[in-house]
């Protein structure tokens, strides 16, 4: 087992194909080196070593020899020696997992600075200040990351070694009467280094190591340990990254962007990651280290003139270092062509020489992903299939999220303007910490997280917030990167904000806002407003990139996509999103209308069939009207109408006052009403008298609903429409139930056809949502003209999980990895999925061309859609706003299988 | 298709093998005829004709010719002619389904008496009175059964044609000043016949038919129609007889037991149906028709001297007609040997000649079935396998039912004595109608149905009653037959009873009892007592027939039989019934003990793990004690202990007073206790935070329970016992849950072994009670050392039926045949059974010798046991009293498959 892979000087042991072994960063460093692009030489310790280290808390045998050989390889290229007195080499250590986990793991720079090497480096560089600045940085970083965190210490807030050292530095600046770090002199920094080392020993009980090897191995171990740090674990849980992957460690020669005026550092994207526009886009800082750009402590300059804001005083790299810029521009074009995707790159200029530190496929928001996919296809950079696979279905959700209503924006009070880091709109209550954000969100509130800058520690709060607003940082700051990854509205670098997190106040131009006050953000323009602005749905029709992508997806997918809609408006909206029918029209919501619920209640308390029939028939005109509108909105696409499903007690009042009132309205004794309500009470209503069990007990309900459907159908046919109703019997567990209900429905259909003299087409089918229905699907298919899987209920019964009650244990189940995910979000393929597959196979055994769909929440979930494609469903049905996601997912499912 | 099968004079078209086609009665008439036994000649119209008639309301083509040919066949044998003026033949029409449905369908006798044939018959018989008595009986029966009931009329109580005619007859007796029917003269009866015919025309609007063919076809049709009568349908529902079977119709020459002193009629059993004793046993009446014996209107004489009660004045057939008796005794012996089973026979003596009217396998109660099976095996009449199959497993239930405690009987107030028609004891409240019996039973009361005599209309009330008591009737009366079929305590012919059903009073020797008063019956001795007597369990050990049968069954069965027991006493009892281990020991009941529940509640309201652990560990000594006793009672058999299963809210009080009290006992704020209780409330607790989900959330519960089990095990081993605990994790849906719990359990086992220095064997397995567990049983088997199917919960989730809530719709489902049976009583083989089978197959795919059992209620149900045998389970586990039933069922399953 080879544990160490070298790269440098045009040669590399690995390549871009080795991501699993070398991590994304390591594989791409090797690939760039192979392409002849200037990369600081180094080597990558594999993810297998991480796995070994995690399991055994030790390294595989022989790794030290491999590392020593690799160091020699680098020394030869650089003509320097690690730990050498005269010509010392410094090293950096960086993490790099298969998939990027920005900021979640540790980095240690400047390794190799010791009492032995410092004099030589001062000689060699002629810059004592730079050397001691690097040294004090090393001590700060190393004591924090390697000595304290990797050692497992969890110091109290504000008492960590890093904070202590920062305090010492602040004290020195105060003593020297200076305000900037850069105002400290070489001797200041030298003294500071000594103070730092003393404090490290005092606090952590150990000397800061003065041996270059010890430093290097400390750095390597701390990176491996950080794979199992709290932040990284949380991130993996949210992003569904397996724990077993592990991280690689990249050890590279240090290059410095902070050695003077002919030095610089920067990050860039080969296209705009927020809009997708095909323009080289990035930020840089002169005489700085990479972390200065990302941390948002200084506002960086634009790379190119074309992306510079009008009138900005900031100097572009294009103007400041034109030759370097030309070289960089050539490299970025080469990288994008080579990788055939937008690249996110990091570079450093040391002494006028350009070094590439990283390239990777760049994260992008939904809008940008769509535009890039379509434009790259048009540029013939990628194929149709690749274009479809380039957009994550969830990214479509972003562009379908509400935007600030321009009308309400006009009259709104503009408070400030920042950088538009995540498009879309958001409105909510101000909170100042991630914990409060999460808490308030779980209390049902909408919050906007307001911070000076964000750090990986804030990720859970950022996730919980509607939108994120920071005072500092640029378009590539932590807040911006994370928000964009989630398609969340985000504004960064909004310098007008004065945040006092302790007092929980936000002051903007003297106006004070408290925690809980409401503001609104337009993440597309970067504008911050006072109060709640109304949000509107985006106009997808005029988004030609979106419509192009959908068209391509539609040409590929095999699954039809329907929608779940209970009203003509929802039906029309879904149709505009491309729905090809309604897969689930719930009829019970229609009964809750105040004008109707009384008839429903009369029906429920009726003492005999006749009284029940009289009451229920009062609902006929309403239901006919409902179905008329929905069938019309969707014609000629099919509309699957589910018969009454919920238990009757849901329609009755529960508190005493309401019961008294209802009794008097219904003109019955309160006691007898109470008795009826009591008699309907159930211990487990989910498993009680509902679904087709109602239709069996009260056939008149089925008859009324069937009549309403068919009379609406006849009316539409008379008007020249082509409605196509599919009547769906819910919660069938035995074919006998379906047969019982089907007989009633067919009888009514025949009656309505005879009465009207108009023939119409319709289907009678069933919802498959109980395990028994899956086990006996062959029998049920004898009666059913279609199946529609109700995977919500099927998940409840297959797992024995009440969706209403899993809050008591699901969070722990997810945390302890007892479940890999929430089975109500993405279908549990092993268990519930097996039940569905069995139902499909058995159903088709009886009727080989049986039409089968799914109408639970899973119908809009990409992973679930992939599964439904594989087991041969005909369609999925989802909420209107998920329809485009389902269309794209269905296309991807075709390509992936 | 041949529709009519003849028999007579030693020849028959059919035989005993043709039960499906000819019904039991018809097949046996053919068989007896073939054996040369004297049977009145006749013919059987097949069950296929019934099915055709039910479907089309008409007869198949050509049937009239077949019937006519058959009549000629009979006429030739008898040398008489149907409808002939001089030498007329009379016919009877009787039903006969595959399986006996006593009294549930119609019979019409004396067909062929018309104005044309009456004079000839008077001439021929020389007995005018007999002829007119037969005629008035024909009119009564025919007008009731054929003209009124089969016509679909439903007259009000007391207004039926039969009641009207009876009233006319009573009036005539009053006018003539006589009290007995037999006191009416020939001319009285002739006049009565005319009065009857007039009333029939008046009431039913039709003439009583004076044509012999019309009479015959009317009779045949009425029998076919009665297959779908209310009584027959109810009976089929209770007895699970398919509607599609249909009945045959037997048309036979009339023979009369009521033509004078050398005539008689009787019914008999080849062995005693109540005790099983091998003694010819029956009852007879001189000068009577068969219905007189069965109806209980006259108390019949014993057949043999050996069965005559000491000092009885009743004359036996053996003494009265010794030659007839000898012939009959020969026939009964031949029949039993031929059929190799106890026979229930009917005979008539006409003019000193014996005719056999019926033979069939006799119904018997459990005690008798067991004794007969064992004795017939000893007599080498049947094989071991047949002996096992002779006893219906449910019949064992009878002999395990409580008996009146002899001690309490001694001091009890004896009210009366009747015939001991159904053994065992019963105590309950007096009711006088079947409807009230059913109503009170459903209200949770225990009732004793008290009637003058019972009729098929009373069947539902008899079913609901604890015991049945009648004033009239003999050991073969309707009440006695039905009660014995169900193994129900029953006393008949208790002439001391004066029943006034209208006033709802029962008077015994002047003492008046009202509806609701409590009495007790000893069905084994026939004694009726005042008040409630205590009941005791029967002593099975001294029942050598029972122990023999069990031994034979054990030698055949493949399935092991365990018991569900939660206490040492239950465990010991079950072991005495033959249990080979405990398949389910529930641990939660142990927590409800007042001394323990407080610790449980402390645990539930604890704010952190430490407090929770402190509270739960208080339960350790109790639990250790529990397990010690149970493991000891069962050692060396295995004991499967299920970890805590129910949701925690079951352990907390719900009403305000109790909450206040508990808060003060626990020394916490009432509000915070209330909040905790609210937080535990669930909408669907069946699908909520319970089972292993508790053990995952609160590992300390699992740890405490495992420690209690293992410490008890160690203690027993120290005492020289060989305990074998199997720890069962409930409600597992994912292998990860089991792995989580198993790790904790093994850790504790290792700890206890290390602490005590004693090694012990144990298993860790899981309950399979969720569909997902079945679907992923291959994965779960990686961790499980055994599976135990919890088919109660599996039925709930597979069907989506809450067992607590199905009362709302199950009755209708059963009535409408949407379900064939209650799936909680007998496993639903198609659905739930498929899930179990899948679980077994998948589990064994991973571990081919995985031990698998079932521990739901189904473990004691014979049909379910047959299924579990077929799919290869290792054992079933049931409640202690079902253990013998399970042993026998398991043996039968081996033989039947």
């Amino acid at each position: 087992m080879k544990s160490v892979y070298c790269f440098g000087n045009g040669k590399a042991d690995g390549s871009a194909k080795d991501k699993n072994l070398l991590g994304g960063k390591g594989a791409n460093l090797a690939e760039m080196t192979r392409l002849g692009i200037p990369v600081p030489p180094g080597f990558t310790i594999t993810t297998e070593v991480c796995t070994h280290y995690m399991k055994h808390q030790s390294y595989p045998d022989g790794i030290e020899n491999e590392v020593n050989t690799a160091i020699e390889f680098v020394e030869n290229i650089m003509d320097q020696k690690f730990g050498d007195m005269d010509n010392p080499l410094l090293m950096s250590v960086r993490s790099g997992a298969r998939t990027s986990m920005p900021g979640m793991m540790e980095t240690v720079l400047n390794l190799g600075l010791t009492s032995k090497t410092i004099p030589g480096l001062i000689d060699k560089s002629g810059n004592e200040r730079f050397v001691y600045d690097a040294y004090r940085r090393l001590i700060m970083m190393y004591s924090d990351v390697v000595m304290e965190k990797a050692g497992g210490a969890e110091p109290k807030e504000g008492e960590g070694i890093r904070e202590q050292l920062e305090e010492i530095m602040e004290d020195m600046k105060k003593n020297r009467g200076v305000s900037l770090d850069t105002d400290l002199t070489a001797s200041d920094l030298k003294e500071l280094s000594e103070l730092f080392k003393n404090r490290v020993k005092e606090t952590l009980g150990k000397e800061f190591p003065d041996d270059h090897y010890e430093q290097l191995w400390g750095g390597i171990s701390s990176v491996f340990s950080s794979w199992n740090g709290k932040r990284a674990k949380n991130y993996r849980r949210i992003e569904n990254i397996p724990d077993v992957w592990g991280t690689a460690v990249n050890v590279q020669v240090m290059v410095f962007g902070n050695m003077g005026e002919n030095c610089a550092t920067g990050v860039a994207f080969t296209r705009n990651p927020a809009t997708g526009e095909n323009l080289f886009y990035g930020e840089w800082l002169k005489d700085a280290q990479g972390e200065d750009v990302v941390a948002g402590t200084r506002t960086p300059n634009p790379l190119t003139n074309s992306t510079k804001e009008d009138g900005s005083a900031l100097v572009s790299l294009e103007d400041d270092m034109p030759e370097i810029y030309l070289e960089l521009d050539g490299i970025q074009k080469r990288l994008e062509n080579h990788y055939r995707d937008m690249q996110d790159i990091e570079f450093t200029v040391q002494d006028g020489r350009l070094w590439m530190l990283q390239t990777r496929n760049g994260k992008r928001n939904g809008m940008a992903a769509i535009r890039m996919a379509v434009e790259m296809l048009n540029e013939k950079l990628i194929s149709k299939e690749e274009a479809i696979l380039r957009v994550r279905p969830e990214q479509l959700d972003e562009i379908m999220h509400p935007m600030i209503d321009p009308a309400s924006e006009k009259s709104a009070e503009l408070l400030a303007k920042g950088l538009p880091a995540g498009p879309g709109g958001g409105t909510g209550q101000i909170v100042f910490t991630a914990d409060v954000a999460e808490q308030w969100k779980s209390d049902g509130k909408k919050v906007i997280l307001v911070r000076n800058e964000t750090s990986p520690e804030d990720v859970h709060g950022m996730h919980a917030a509607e939108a994120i607003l920071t005072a500092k940082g640029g378009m590539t700051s932590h807040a911006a990167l994370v928000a964009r990854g989630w398609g969340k509205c985000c504004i960064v670098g909004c310098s007008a904000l004065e945040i006092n997190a302790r007092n929980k106040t936000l002051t903007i131009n003297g106006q004070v806002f408290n925690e809980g006050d409401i503001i609104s953000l337009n993440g597309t323009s970067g504008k911050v407003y006072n109060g709640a602005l109304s949000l509107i749905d985006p106009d997808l029709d005029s988004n030609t990139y979106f419509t192009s992508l959908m068209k391509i997806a539609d040409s590929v997918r095999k699954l039809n996509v329907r929608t779940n809609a209970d009203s003509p408006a929802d039906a029309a909206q879904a149709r505009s999103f491309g729905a090809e029918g309604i897969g689930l029209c719930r009829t019970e919501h229609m009964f809750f209308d105040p004008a109707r619920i009384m008839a429903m209640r009369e029906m429920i308390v009726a003492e005999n069939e006749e009284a029940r029939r009289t009451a229920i028939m009062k609902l006929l005109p309403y239901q006919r009207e409902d179905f008329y509108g929905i069938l019309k909105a969707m014609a000629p696409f099919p509309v699957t109408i589910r018969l009454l499903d919920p238990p009757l007690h849901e329609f009755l009042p529960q508190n005493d006052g309401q019961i008294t009132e209802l009794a008097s309205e219904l003109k019955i004794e309160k006691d007898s009403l109470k008795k009826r309500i009591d008699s309907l009470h159930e211990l487990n209503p989910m498993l009680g008298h509902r679904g087709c069990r109602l239709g069996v007990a009260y056939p008149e309900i089925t008859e009324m609903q069937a009549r309403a459907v068919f009379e609406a159908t006849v009316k539409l046919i008379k008007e020249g429409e082509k409605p196509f109703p599919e009547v769906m019997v819910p919660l069938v567990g035995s074919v006998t139930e379906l047969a019982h209900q089907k007989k009633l429905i067919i009888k009514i259909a025949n009656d309505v056809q005879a009465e009207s003299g108009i023939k119409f087409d319709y289907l009678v089918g069933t919802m498959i949502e109980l395990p028994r229905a899956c086990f006996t699907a062959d029998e049920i298919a004898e009666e059913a003209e279609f199946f529609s899987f109700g995977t919500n209920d099927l998940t409840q019964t297959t797992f024995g999980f009440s969706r209403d009650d899993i809050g008591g244990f699901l969070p722990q189940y997810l945390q302890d990895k007892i479940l890999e995910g929430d089975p109500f979000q993405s279908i549990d393929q092993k268990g519930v999925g097996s039940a569905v597959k069995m139902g499909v196979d058995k159903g088709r055994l009886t009727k080989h061309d049986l039409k089968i769909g799914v109408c639970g929440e899973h119908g809009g979930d990409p992973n679930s859609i992939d599964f439904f494609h594989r087991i041969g469903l005909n369609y999925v049905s989802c909420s209107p706003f998920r329809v485009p996601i389902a269309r794209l997912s269905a296309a991807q499912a075709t390509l992936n299988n």
Side-chain angles (χ1 to χ4, degrees), chain A:
Chain A
M1 193 178 84
K2 181 177 168 69
S3 297
V4 177
Y5 284 67
C6 294
F7 54 85
N9 211 16
K11 285 180 203 134
D13 294 338
S15 75
K17 286 176 196 143
D18 299 315
K19 271 193 186 162
N20 292 358
L21 191 65
L22 305 181
K25 188 192 210 65
N28 285 329
L29 287 172
E31 187 78 10
M32 282 198 289
T33 304
R34 280 169 179 263
L35 290 174
I37 289 170
V39 170
F43 54 90
T44 305
I45 306 176
T46 67
T47 54
E48 289 174 354
V49 175
C50 182
T51 318
H52 185 282
Y53 184 79
M54 288 301 122
K55 206 163 162 187
H56 305 286
Q57 294 302 314
S58 71
Y59 290 105
D61 291 341
I63 194 173
E64 288 190 34
N65 284 338
E66 282 194 67
V67 166
N68 289 341
T69 308
I71 291 173
E72 275 171 38
F73 168 82
V74 174
E75 287 171 341
N76 288 337
I77 292 172
M78 296 304 290
D79 202 14
Q80 290 177 308
K81 271 191 127 45
F82 187 47
D84 193 67
M85 285 181 67
D86 301 323
N87 193 13
L89 191 66
L90 301 190
M91 295 284 207
S92 66
V93 171
R94 290 188 180 85
S95 64
R98 274 194 217 184
T99 189
S100 169
M101 294 168 58
M104 296 299 147
M105 288 181 292
E106 302 299 355
T107 292
V108 194
L109 304 178
N110 303 348
L111 294 162
L113 275 175
T114 62
S115 55
K116 194 171 143 202
T117 59
I118 285 173
L121 195 63
I122 292 172
D123 271 7
K124 197 99 208 300
S125 67
N127 187 339
E128 186 180 5
R129 193 197 171 282
F130 159 72
V131 174
Y132 279 110
D133 189 47
Y135 193 46
R136 69 93 190 161
R137 284 178 194 254
L138 169 64
I139 301 169
M140 278 182 105
M141 205 177 268
Y142 194 94
S143 61
D144 171 28
V145 167
V146 182
M147 299 177 74
E148 187 169 70
K149 278 196 201 139
E154 287 187 20
K156 282 190 195 153
E157 180 89 28
E159 293 179 12
I161 186 68
R162 186 169 206 126
E163 284 94 333
Q164 292 187 36
L165 301 187
E166 271 166 3
E167 215 171 282
I168 292 173
M169 188 162 162
E170 289 303 311
D171 286 349
M172 178 174 275
K173 285 197 289 190
K174 215 178 279 171
N175 286 340
R176 301 290 187 272
V178 300
S179 66
L180 294 175
D181 295 359
T182 44
D183 293 334
L184 292 174
T185 65
S187 73
D188 288 342
L189 291 167
K190 187 175 176 185
E191 186 188 334
L192 197 60
S193 302
E194 291 308 309
L195 292 172
F196 275 14
K197 286 195 280 186
N198 291 340
R199 178 62 69 89
V200 167
K201 190 175 178 201
E202 229 170 77
T203 304
L204 303 175
K206 277 184 294 190
E207 295 276 4
F208 173 75
D210 198 35
D211 177 77
H212 58 289
Y213 264 107
E214 193 184 340
Q215 285 179 2
L216 178 65
W217 279 102
I220 291 171
S221 298
S222 72
V223 172
F224 281 139
S225 299
S226 68
W227 175 255
N228 273 343
K230 203 178 149 194
R231 269 184 299 161
K233 278 164 113 174
N234 269 338
Y235 185 86
R236 289 204 293 276
R237 188 168 51 78
I238 293 174
E239 296 284 336
N240 258 326
I241 298 170
D243 289 341
V244 297
W245 281 4
T247 183
V249 170
N250 298 293
V251 181
Q252 255 180 307
V253 164
M254 281 298 303
V255 288
F256 295 95
N258 58 342
M259 275 174 75
E261 287 297 304
N262 59 345
C263 297
T265 193
V267 297
F269 297 93
T270 58
R271 301 188 186 211
N272 185 321
T275 65
E277 196 180 7
N278 189 1
L279 273 180
F280 186 37
Y281 184 92
E283 290 161 341
W284 72 290
L285 282 171
K286 183 174 280 199
D287 194 13
Q289 283 204 335
E291 57 177 341
D292 301 328
V293 182
V294 181
T297 45
R298 281 160 67 184
T299 299
N301 300 6
L303 270 188
T304 66
N305 290 333
S306 64
T307 57
K308 198 164 100 172
E309 277 202 24
D310 291 343
S312 167
L314 299 169
V315 181
S316 70
L317 185 72
E318 193 174 1
D319 283 347
D320 197 80
M321 300 183 175
E323 279 175 34
I324 292 285
Y325 175 77
L326 267 182
E327 186 186 356
L328 180 66
D329 191 43
I331 287 173
Q332 68 95 359
K333 288 200 171 91
R334 244 177 104 193
L335 286 172
E336 186 176 281
N337 277 317
H338 181 71
Y339 284 100
R340 303 169 65 245
D341 200 355
M342 185 268 275
Q343 295 298 297
D344 167 357
I345 60 184
E346 290 178 22
F347 64 91
T348 285
V349 179
Q350 176 178 331
D351 284 336
R353 187 168 170 198
L354 176 66
W355 294 97
M356 300 305 297
L357 300 185
Q358 164 147 310
T359 190
R360 59 185 174 191
N361 291 338
K363 294 205 176 190
R364 62 208 76 177
N365 66 23
M367 193 79 84
I370 296 166
R371 179 166 176 177
M372 285 182 204
V374 172
E375 288 191 339
M376 286 183 187
L377 170 61
N378 292 343
E379 293 160 18
K380 299 203 164 66
L381 186 62
I382 58 175
S383 68
K384 181 169 92 170
E385 289 72 21
E386 283 174 305
I388 290 171
L389 293 169
R390 275 293 158 83
V391 181
R392 280 185 296 111
E394 289 298 343
Q395 290 184 310
L396 295 182
D397 203 24
E398 298 168 27
I399 66 161
M400 302 180 69
H401 271 160
M403 312 285 282
I404 296 283
D405 180 356
S408 85
E409 205 168 355
K410 261 185 212 165
S411 56
E413 181 192 347
L414 179 64
L415 296 173
K417 186 158 180 264
L419 299 172
T427 181
Q429 292 178 276
I430 294 170
V431 295
F432 294 101
T433 68
D435 288 344
V436 173
E438 195 172 52
Q439 183 54 52
W440 286 29
K441 159 88 172 184
S442 81
D443 294 343
K445 296 178 185 166
K446 296 191 167 193
V447 300
I448 291 184
L449 181 62
V450 179
R451 302 279 287 167
N452 269 316
E453 62 220 297
T454 65
S455 76
E457 269 87 5
D458 298 321
V459 165
H460 61 293
M462 297 167 75
H463 198 247
E466 298 300 303
I468 298 150
L469 174 61
T470 72
K472 296 186 177 178
M475 289 291 281
T476 52
S477 66
H478 177 263
L481 280 175
V482 170
R484 212 142 53 219
W486 287 331
K488 204 176 280 273
C489 171
C490 178
I491 296 174
V492 297
C494 186
S495 52
L497 312 185
E498 295 167 52
I499 297 169
N500 187 327
R502 195 169 302 171
N503 297 339
K504 300 186 177 179
T505 57
L506 162 65
T507 310
I508 309 179
N509 299 323
Q511 191 170 350
V512 178
F513 296 85
N514 294 300
E515 186 177 68
D517 288 348
I518 295 177
I519 57 172
S520 299
L521 308 191
N522 182 337
T524 313
S525 66
K527 288 175 178 165
V528 182
Y529 297 97
N530 194 357
L533 300 198
S534 59
L535 302 173
I536 53 158
D537 303 327
D539 179 14
L540 292 180
D541 290 341
S542 66
N543 182 331
T544 56
Y545 303 111
F546 170 76
T547 48
S548 296
L549 182 72
M550 286 293 106
K551 210 172 284 173
I552 303 166
D554 289 347
S555 74
V556 163
R557 70 184 159 93
K558 297 275 192 297
L559 277 170
N560 282 322
V561 176
R562 296 196 191 182
T563 193
N564 305 337
D566 308 343
S567 71
D570 282 359
Q573 169 130 69
R575 193 165 181 173
S576 80
F577 290 155
E580 299 157 307
I582 290 179
L584 176 62
C585 172
R586 299 175 196 85
T587 56
E588 51 269 18
H589 298 151
M590 306 171 183
F591 290 121
F592 283 105
D593 185 288
R596 308 174 184 190
I597 188 125
M598 194 50 66
M600 191 66 192
R601 290 171 169 176
E602 259 177 57
M603 195 282 295
I604 295 170
V605 302
E607 303 248 315
N608 55 48
E609 194 195 316
E610 201 188 316
R612 213 157 42 228
R613 196 172 284 278
T614 308
I616 194 82
M617 288 310 278
K618 290 185 191 169
L619 293 172
L620 176 64
Y622 295 114
Q623 284 254 296
R624 188 170 49 218
E625 179 92 11
D626 295 331
F627 297 139
Y628 172 83
I630 292 168
L631 285 163
K632 184 173 181 176
M634 205 43 88
F637 287 125
V639 174
T640 306
I641 294 162
R642 180 175 73 182
L643 299 179
L644 190 69
D645 186 55
L648 295 184
H649 57 72
E650 289 194 8
F651 298 96
L652 293 178
Q654 297 302 329
N655 79 48
D656 204 66
Q658 290 171 320
I659 293 172
T660 310
E661 200 178 321
L662 179 61
S664 95
E665 283 181 68
L666 291 175
K667 297 186 183 62
I668 57 175
E669 289 294 317
K670 185 178 165 188
D671 267 2
S672 84
L673 176 57
K674 260 190 138 161
K675 217 178 239 173
R676 179 68 179 142
I677 292 173
D678 285 348
S679 79
L680 289 173
H681 172 77
E682 293 182 316
L683 287 178
N684 295 289
M686 171 56 48
L687 308 175
H689 197 176
R690 50 174 287 248
C692 69
R693 299 163 196 171
L694 293 173
V696 170
Y698 310 114
E700 50 279 4
I701 300 179
T702 302
E703 289 169 15
M704 183 281 285
Q705 292 201 296
R707 179 165 283 278
V709 170
F710 296 133
E711 288 184 354
T713 303
V714 163
K715 191 175 169 203
L716 283 165
I717 291 174
K718 283 185 184 161
E719 292 170 9
E721 301 279 354
K722 291 180 174 167
F724 190 70
E726 302 179 332
V727 181
M728 179 157 72
V729 180
L731 207 71
V732 160
S734 307
V735 65
T736 43
E737 293 173 316
L738 178 58
H740 179 283
Q741 293 289 290
K742 189 180 170 189
K743 206 170 148 190
L744 298 176
I745 295 161
I746 289 177
K747 162 91 170 53
I748 298 290
N750 291 341
D751 287 355
V752 172
Q753 303 201 42
E755 289 159 18
S756 65
I758 288 179
K759 290 267 165 211
F760 49 81
D761 290 329
Y762 67 98
L763 298 178
V764 181
T766 183
M767 203 147 162
I768 303 283
E769 48 189 334
L770 291 171
R772 194 177 191 280
C774 298
F775 281 111
T776 63
D778 45 348
E779 290 185 353
I780 293 174
E782 298 278 356
E783 293 286 342
E785 293 173 311
F786 64 87
F787 278 2
S788 178
F789 282 89
T791 52
N792 291 352
D793 274 14
L794 191 58
T795 299
Q796 298 201 75
T797 45
T798 302
F799 268 100
F801 284 172
S802 161
R803 195 175 179 171
D804 295 316
D805 302 315
I806 47 169
F809 56 92
L810 189 66
Q812 198 188 345
Y813 264 47
L814 294 176
Q815 192 181 311
D816 293 358
K817 296 275 166 100
I818 287 175
L819 286 177
E820 280 173 25
D822 178 346
F824 292 102
Q825 258 170 32
S826 193
I827 194 166
D828 156 50
Q829 297 186 18
K830 261 184 206 160
V832 181
S834 294
V836 174
K837 183 168 188 313
M838 171 187 282
V840 170
D841 293 346
K842 287 197 167 210
R844 295 251 170 86
L845 214 61
T846 300
K847 282 190 184 152
H848 76 276
D849 59 349
L850 187 68
K851 184 166 68 168
I852 305 182
V854 63
C855 63
E857 287 294 307
H858 295 133
D861 168 67
N863 283 332
S864 308
I865 290 169
D866 185 79
F867 177 76
F868 296 136
H869 170 87
R870 276 185 276 128
I871 63 170
L873 294 205
N874 301 97
Y875 68 87
V876 296
S877 186
C878 54
S879 60
F881 277 85
R882 304 291 292 185
V883 167
I885 294 170
R887 289 160 74 191
L888 180 60
S889 299
Q892 293 188 347
T894 310
L895 298 177
N896 286 332
N897 292 293

